[in-house]
Amino acid sequence: MNQVYEKLTGCYSSIRSRIDFVPQVAIVLGSGLGDYGKEIRVEAELSYAEIDGFPVSTVPGHAGKFIFGFVGETKVVCMQGRVHYYEGYPISDVVLPARLMKMLGAKILVLTNASGGINPSFAAGDFMMLTDHISLFAPNPLVGPNIEELGTRFPDMTSVYDGELQEILARTAKENGIELKKGIYAQLTGPSFESPAEIRLLHQLGADAVGMSTVVEAIAANHMGMRICGISCVCNLAAGISPNPLTHEEVQEAARIAAPQFKQLLTQSVIKFGERCL
Ligand code: HPA
């Protein structure tokens, strides 16, 4: 059997031997949303370290576990802590959790992250709904023998971010008085922040925000036929746009301040996803 698929099915069996909860919506929490678990009526929790073969994150503030439970009536599985490519994991490990959540039953994937703002109309603290992405700078997680059990060799990428989910996000933001920008997210590998010249290049390519996650997960989930949406918290202006040097602490602080509105948008949207999209 393909080694990547073998690892995935091993993780699946390891979870299923303990938890029979079948989620409808999978949520990946980005920086600053780590305590979103408090918004969930928890049915079960499983720390990543308990799952045989699961990649465990090393970044401070990214403690890792799956939370299974309800947001409103929607059955969710939530990743508290994600795995980043810059930690040194093979890209197949980085996307393993997204694939696993689909195998567990989730049909919708909500990706959240912290990003640097490139669009000159963006300010720190803004929220941006992903309408598309640029993945040219991160390795493609589908490289290698195609895993036929998961999807096709050459998946279409015309509309990775689901139109109906985007509509619901936009409407929900409006109803809750939250401003939601739209834009294109570029993933670079990190862990260094970008140089000002790289940000100018990304701007010319049409990117509105930049970060170190999300796109590879979206590619793997799209391969498996998940309906995907993404929300980014623009935590700082990108290098060269911001007058100050960038720090991880600044990003975390901005994410912390934005967290209450981010949670509200996420909760209200996930409730509607459950009601209308499943
Ligand atoms: N660049 C890349 N990743 C980020 C940034 C940034 O400016 N801010 C938060 N995550």
Side-chain angles (χ1 to χ4, degrees):
M1 202 199 285
N2 176 297
Q3 279 181 2
V4 172
Y5 190 58
E6 199 172 338
K7 190 166 186 175
L8 193 56
T9 51
C11 288
Y12 176 79
S13 306
S14 178
I15 295 179
R16 275 290 170 248
S17 66
R18 276 168 269 192
I19 291 170
D20 59 8
F21 190 88
V22 177
Q24 301 167 299
V25 175
I27 305 170
V28 181
L29 300 177
S31 300
L33 277 181
D35 66 347
Y36 185 73
K38 294 191 188 121
E39 313 290 313
I40 299 173
R41 248 169 31 247
V42 178
E43 289 281 312
E45 291 190 345
L46 193 59
S47 112
Y48 297 156
E50 294 176 77
I51 306 166
D52 300 332
F54 195 92
V56 180
S57 175
T58 57
V59 185
H62 286 273
K65 63 180 172 187
F66 282 119
I67 303 171
F68 296 87
F70 290 84
V71 173
E73 296 305 312
T74 310
K75 295 172 89 176
V76 304
V77 56
C78 185
M79 280 188 76
Q80 187 171 304
R82 57 149 61 92
V83 181
H84 297 86
Y85 183 62
Y86 59 72
E87 292 173 74
Y89 295 102
I91 199 70
S92 56
D93 272 1
V94 177
V95 301
L96 180 144
R99 286 172 160 164
L100 195 50
M101 293 191 291
K102 169 69 164 60
M103 287 176 81
L104 290 168
K107 296 193 166 45
I108 291 178
L109 175 64
V110 183
L111 294 164
T112 70
N113 63 43
S115 65
I118 297 176
N119 185 318
S121 75
F122 286 2
D126 279 352
F127 298 116
M128 184 190 89
M129 174 171 79
L130 275 64
T131 55
D132 204 348
H133 67 223
I134 294 173
S135 73
L136 305 172
F137 306 103
N140 192 306
L142 306 183
V143 169
N146 185 48
I147 306 173
E148 293 294 329
E149 291 86 346
L150 303 186
T152 180
R153 173 74 292 186
F154 300 108
D156 177 58
M157 298 286 288
T158 309
S159 46
V160 173
Y161 301 92
D162 185 273
E164 189 182 2
L165 301 183
Q166 286 191 51
E167 263 173 44
I168 291 174
L169 280 177
R171 198 161 3 101
T172 307
K174 208 168 180 183
E175 284 165 10
N176 286 274
I178 296 168
E179 196 187 352
L180 184 62
K181 308 262 166 94
K182 292 181 183 179
I184 296 171
Y185 174 93
Q187 176 176 358
L188 274 63
T189 65
S192 47
F193 288 115
E194 303 70 34
S195 69
E198 287 163 350
I199 293 300
R200 285 194 296 276
L201 173 72
L202 290 170
H203 182 52
Q204 286 187 1
L205 293 178
D208 297 292
V210 60
M212 305 175 193
S213 68
T214 302
V215 173
V216 292
E217 291 141 298
I219 292 172
N222 177 67
H223 179 232
M224 292 180 78
M226 290 184 96
R227 295 177 70 183
I228 303 165
C229 67
I231 320 168
S232 186
C233 176
V234 177
C235 288
N236 56 280
L237 297 178
I241 302 176
S242 166
N244 310 314
L246 309 187
T247 66
H248 182 55
E249 289 67 32
E250 172 198 5
V251 170
Q252 283 189 313
E253 176 62 5
R256 193 186 62 74
I257 293 168
Q261 278 205 326
F262 209 163
K263 285 178 191 169
Q264 190 183 356
L265 177 58
L266 192 55
T267 294
Q268 297 305 321
S269 301
V270 167
I271 290 171
K272 291 194 183 109
F273 294 168
E275 288 167 353
R276 306 204 193 140
C277 302
L278 294 165

